[in-house]
Amino acid sequence: VGVVDEPDRDALTQAWKSWMEEYIKVSGKVPPGNESGNVTWTRPQPKKKPDLRLTPGRHVQLTVPLEELVDKLVKENKVVAFIKGSRSAPLCGFSQKVIGILEKEGVDYESVNVLDEDYNYGLRETLKQYSNWPTFPQIFLNGELVGGCDILTSMFEKGEIAGLFKN
Amino acid sequence: MSFRGTTTLLSRATRIKSKLQSSLEATVLELDDVSYQHAGHAAMKESSEKETHFNLKIVSDKFEGQSLVKRHRMVYDLLSDELQSGLHALSIVAKTPKEITPHAK
């Protein structure tokens, strides 16, 4: 075991280099794990998109009603899923199921966390009125409500998701 | 049996069934209380409410020609009081009599 006194970056790099050279001299190979191009421990999942937020925060007074912001959001984005929790950590079984389906089918979608009281304060009630739909999750396509978990699951089982949600 | 308040002596399940039955003239109506399955998750942990989550299977002629969204809305509209008084979620399977008959073409 080698010991490095005063381990600043340069000293450590030097020490590593000399250990590598010794090892290579003796065994003719690079010690395993020290080669570049080793992908065993790289991040397995590509980073997920962040959830969209409707407002800049509760402290900011809205200049337009929340309903307008919702309307704008669903019209400007092809697929929007209003879920409980975030897409990386849904807080409800139905929302989780919906995210699972969208991810599995590789749909490009936006997600909004309706339980986020800081950035989406009042969203749940506003959305229930806007969509005339009392529960979450709610999935919108091209500005219109497709349905909730049951409807999406039924479409998924019939193989309708890709054709409808993707181009 | 628990009594909640002076005005509701029937259970929510009973109220739901009777509302849907009378308005939609369902030929099949199955309602399961699955609230226990959701007792642990975020919104329900602090609450001692009962009858909060149900699975509904309903077959009615009135769904003929209606999209899934419309069928679900019909059910939700009939149950708007329940939804505002503690019913949190309703999983709906809504079919027409033709759709459940096997080998129907």
Side-chain angles (χ1 to χ4, degrees), chain A residues 84 91-94 115 128 130-136 145-148 150-151 154-155 158, chain B residues 34 38 41-43 53-55 68-70 72-73 76-77 83 87-93:
Chain A
K84 290 186 168 178
L91 291 173
C92 137
F94 303 121
L115 295 180
K128 285 182 188 180
Y130 177 83
S131 330
N132 186 21
W133 192 268
T135 55
F136 294 100
L145 179 70
V146 173
D150 298 329
I151 293 180
S154 145
M155 292 169 104
K158 290 195 204 147
Chain B
V34 292
H38 297 267
H41 78 66
H53 293 69
F54 287 88
N55 289 340
L68 280 183
V69 182
K70 289 222 187 74
H72 283 47
R73 279 222 174 96
Y76 282 145
D77 287 344
L83 286 158
L87 175 62
H88 283 268
L90 189 59
S91 277
I92 305 175
V93 173

Side-chain angles (χ1 to χ4, degrees), chain B residues 34-90:
Chain B
V34 292
S35 312
Y36 66 94
Q37 288 177 7
H38 297 267
H41 78 66
M44 301 307 303
K45 269 202 195 114
E46 310 296 320
S47 132
S48 56
E49 290 174 59
K50 300 214 184 311
E51 298 200 291
T52 56
H53 293 69
F54 287 88
N55 289 340
L56 171 71
K57 178 175 174 186
I58 181 167
V59 178
S60 157
D61 255 325
K62 308 215 169 192
F63 293 140
E64 193 69 49
Q66 308 274 11
S67 69
L68 280 183
V69 182
K70 289 222 187 74
R71 297 181 190 188
H72 283 47
R73 279 222 174 96
M74 284 165 74
V75 173
Y76 282 145
D77 287 344
L78 288 166
L79 299 178
S80 63
D81 288 339
E82 302 294 337
L83 286 158
Q84 288 181 38
S85 67
L87 175 62
H88 283 268
L90 189 59

Side-chain angles (χ1 to χ4, degrees), chain A residues 4 8 19 22 24-25 32 49 64 72-73 115 129 147:
Chain A
V4 183
D8 63 10
W19 297 331
E22 268 185 54
I24 292 171
K25 205 185 286 177
K49 266 205 252 193
V64 296
K72 192 159 171 290
L73 189 89
L115 295 180
Q129 298 294 323

Side-chain angles (χ1 to χ4, degrees), chain A residues 65-127:
Chain A
L66 191 60
E67 186 147 335
E68 249 185 69
L69 294 176
V70 170
D71 187 65
K72 192 159 171 290
L73 189 89
V74 298
K75 294 199 164 124
E76 286 177 356
N77 298 284
K78 181 163 194 236
V79 184
V80 185
F82 293 94
I83 55 174
K84 290 186 168 178
S86 66
R87 77 164 73 193
S88 45
L91 291 173
C92 137
F94 303 121
S95 292
Q96 186 176 40
K97 201 156 189 215
V98 159
I99 295 293
I101 289 174
L102 294 173
E103 293 281 333
K104 205 180 218 151
E105 294 279 342
V107 176
D108 183 24
Y109 67 101
E110 300 301 330
S111 53
V112 182
N113 179 1
V114 306
L115 295 180
D116 184 346
E117 295 287 314
D118 293 322
Y119 293 100
N120 297 325
Y121 181 64
L123 179 59
R124 258 176 302 168
E125 291 317 309
T126 303
L127 204 47

